[in-house]
Amino acid sequence: MIYDWNQIWRKRENSLLSTGPSACSRRRIVGRLIRKFGKDGGSFLDVGCGTGEFLLSADKMKKFKKLHGVDISQIAIDVARNNYPIGQFDILDIGR
């Protein structure tokens, strides 16, 4: 099945998917993983970075030397660049 991820992003703006209980749990779990496994001075790659919030969180920890986010959607990348202007973001379909 082929998805139009830009269309999906347009539909989910300001939805519970980005602000609801599951999003809060995801942020908490990823935060724990970053603190536990992230190496000082290392790199952080967020595949499917969406809004870039995990990169922003990782940056606030001052643990990583390099932060990079990739997503299949141009809309997602635009949102991420707006939320985290100093981050490095690229459009990438990892399935290809």
Side-chain angles (χ1 to χ4, degrees), residues 66-87:
K66 185 175 180 180
L67 298 138
H68 193 110
V70 296
D71 201 286
I72 194 171
S73 169
Q74 177 66 58
I75 292 172
I77 293 296
D78 291 344
V79 170
R81 285 180 177 146
N82 186 55
N83 289 340
Y84 182 53
I86 63 170

Side-chain angles (χ1 to χ4, degrees), residues 4-74:
D4 180 348
W5 288 102
N6 287 321
Q7 184 64 25
I8 291 168
W9 269 96
R10 279 187 204 97
K11 287 181 182 178
R12 80 180 278 247
E13 261 184 305
N14 301 319
S15 74
L16 281 177
L17 290 174
S18 58
T19 59
S22 64
C24 292
S25 293
R26 215 172 26 255
R27 282 191 290 274
R28 197 170 44 253
I29 291 166
V30 170
R32 286 181 193 148
L33 291 170
I34 291 170
R35 283 188 291 281
K36 184 173 182 176
F37 295 108
K39 296 194 182 346
D40 290 336
S43 298
F44 183 85
L45 172 63
D46 187 358
V47 178
C49 66
T51 63
E53 70 178 294
F54 293 138
L55 285 153
L56 183 59
S57 295
D59 187 41
K60 287 179 181 177
M61 292 177 189
K62 303 296 182 202
K63 191 171 198 134
F64 301 99
K65 185 175 181 178
K66 185 175 180 180
L67 298 138
H68 193 110
V70 296
D71 201 286
I72 194 171
S73 169
Q74 177 66 58

